[in-house]
Structure formats: structure tokens, C-alpha cells
Amino acid sequence: MNRTLLILLVLIAGFSACKKTVDPMIQYRAQAAIDDKIISDYLTSHPGLGAKRIDTSGVFYIINPGEEGTGNDLFTNSTQVTVGYTAQILTTGVVVAQTNDFHPSFPLGSVIRGWQLGIPLIKKNGKIRLLVPSRYAYGPYAQDSIHLPANSVMDFHIQLYNVIN
């Protein structure tokens, strides 16, 4: 009897130690599909935006006529960009960050990937709107300091005030 009980306990301990692991690539692809559907549904319900996709990234941009900016700026990862922006969650419209009268400067290579793809599409004093899937924004990492949930699809309104190489 003791032997049977011991074998049963070992089996239970062995099975309880087994955890179902999820392949990170499967999670990434699943979230990408969710994000892409959110953006697609948004654009379908707002057909007049004239949004264009940046390559195959899933990032969409809108530049209104006359808001492209001026100049012949060359952008690299070390290019310093001075911007004003509003960041909101696309699905809720909740604003999570806004610069108002403060215009921070960043090296282009240090900002989220969605910005790295979108900002070079405009010039100094240009304005752009970016719809950014979570994989090109903050990904699965919640930003508690600004009350941003993990895997948030973002809507950025950006004005490029200055470009320094």
C-alpha cells in the first residue's frame, strides 16, 4: 500500500511540475493579428483619413496636404528630433501623454520603432499622425506611470519642430 501511495505521489508531483509553455513567436503573431485587426477596423470606420501603410510594418500614417514640412532633412539613428505630440490609445481614445508647450528632443534611434519609421516621412515643421500596433510601440510591457496597458495600439499626433544632424 505504501509503495502504491509513493508511486502515486511521485506521479502527481511530476505532472504538477509540467507547465504548459507558449511559444513566444506564437504569442507575438497572435498579438500582431489582433493589433492589425484593430487598426484595420478603425480605418474601415474612418474611410476619409487617407491613411497609408509604411512598408509591411503595420504602421499607418496620415499627412494632411500642406503639413509635410519643409527642408531636405536626412534622418539617421543619431538625428536629434524636437517634437510636440499627443499619444492616445486607439481603442479608447484615452490620452496617455501630451507635450503641450514643452517640446522634448530625442535621438531618433532612441524612440519607439513606430516613430523611427514615421518621423522621417515629414520635414521640419511637418505634422504626422501615426497608428502604431503594439509591436512597434510598447509591446507587452505596460507603462504604469502613464496608465498604459500592455499591448496597446497607439494613435500619435506628432509635430516635428526641429531636426539636427
Side-chain angles (χ1 to χ4, degrees):
M1 178 72 169
N2 287 340
R3 181 180 266 166
T4 306
L5 185 59
L6 180 61
I7 292 171
L8 184 60
L9 286 174
V10 168
L11 286 174
I12 290 172
F15 285 125
S16 67
C18 294
K19 293 183 181 176
K20 183 178 179 181
T21 58
V22 179
D23 182 351
M25 281 309 291
I26 291 172
Q27 286 179 320
Y28 176 84
R29 288 184 185 122
Q31 187 61 49
I34 292 168
D35 292 354
D36 292 346
K37 180 159 179 28
I38 289 169
I39 293 174
S40 176
D41 289 350
Y42 181 83
L43 293 174
T44 299
S45 67
H46 297 84
L49 290 178
K52 297 177 184 171
R53 181 188 287 244
I54 300 174
D55 300 326
T56 59
S57 66
V59 176
F60 283 81
Y61 71 96
I62 300 143
I63 302 172
N64 294 323
E67 294 185 343
E68 303 87 1
T70 59
N72 294 319
D73 300 314
L74 173 67
F75 291 89
T76 66
N77 280 341
S78 61
T79 299
Q80 196 79 8
V81 294
T82 303
V83 297
Y85 65 91
T86 299
Q88 60 190 68
I89 301 169
L90 184 65
T91 54
T92 64
V94 172
V95 173
V96 294
Q98 192 169 22
T99 57
N100 297 318
D101 294 329
F102 173 69
H103 304 129
S105 294
F106 308 99
L108 189 59
S110 73
V111 297
I112 62 169
R113 185 73 179 131
W115 281 31
Q116 291 175 18
L117 295 169
I119 289 177
L121 300 174
I122 56 175
K123 304 298 180 200
K124 185 177 178 180
N125 295 315
K127 294 180 182 178
I128 191 168
R129 182 175 177 190
L130 297 173
L131 305 178
V132 182
S134 64
R135 64 189 176 274
Y136 288 107
Y138 304 101
Y141 308 104
Q143 304 296 312
D144 294 332
S145 63
I146 58 174
H147 307 290
L148 180 69
N151 296 312
S152 292
V153 177
M154 300 301 297
D155 182 2
F156 293 101
H157 295 258
I158 302 168
Q159 181 165 0
L160 181 58
Y161 287 104
N162 201 10
V163 178
I164 300 172
N165 283 309

